[in-house]
Amino acid sequence: MSDKKILNFKIKKLKSSGKTHSEIAEVLNCSKNTVYNSERQRRRQANKLKLINMLGGKCVICGYNSCSAALQFHHTDPKKKHFGISDNYTNDFEKLQQEVKKCVLLCANCHAEVEYGVTTFSTLTKIESMSN
């Protein structure tokens, strides 16, 4: 296990025992920012997983679902986009849910193909109609 994972595990354990950020930082001899960032990273990952599940848990084009890090949110209508999802996982979860409703879930490869025009949403519509 890496040093970072060990530190994150210790932070999580101390946090669950009721310690404050300052107390954890003192016990582990690290900065409060290190403690805060560990918590933030865990919250971001939990929120991303909830949002992924909300959109079906897999790429709508190819069905990929092996690694959440490779799944991305694509706004179907850029005019309706208020903010990017990936930059705001720690925002108010209700706002994230509203924004995600304007998206489809794509794997990184399919997302790149959509962005570069290799795959279009007319292709996506054909794929969806074939699967119904």
Side-chain angles (χ1 to χ4, degrees), residues 48-115:
K48 182 177 183 182
L49 290 174
K50 288 178 199 172
L51 296 170
I52 286 172
N53 288 331
M54 190 176 129
L55 291 183
K58 62 184 179 181
C59 174
V60 296
I61 295 176
C62 72
Y64 177 86
N65 67 353
S66 298
C67 176
S68 63
L71 293 171
Q72 303 171 349
F73 301 95
H74 175 75
H75 283 82
T76 54
D77 183 354
K79 294 174 187 165
K80 294 181 180 177
K81 178 178 179 176
H82 287 110
F83 59 86
I85 305 297
S86 64
D87 297 331
N88 292 285
Y89 288 128
T90 55
N91 276 4
D92 175 30
F93 194 71
E94 286 183 29
K95 288 181 182 177
L96 280 168
Q97 287 178 308
Q98 292 304 314
E99 195 65 23
V100 163
K101 288 178 182 176
K102 305 171 194 173
C103 299
V104 292
L105 193 61
L106 300 174
C107 71
N109 286 336
C110 289
H111 196 194
E113 288 185 3
V114 167
E115 291 295 334

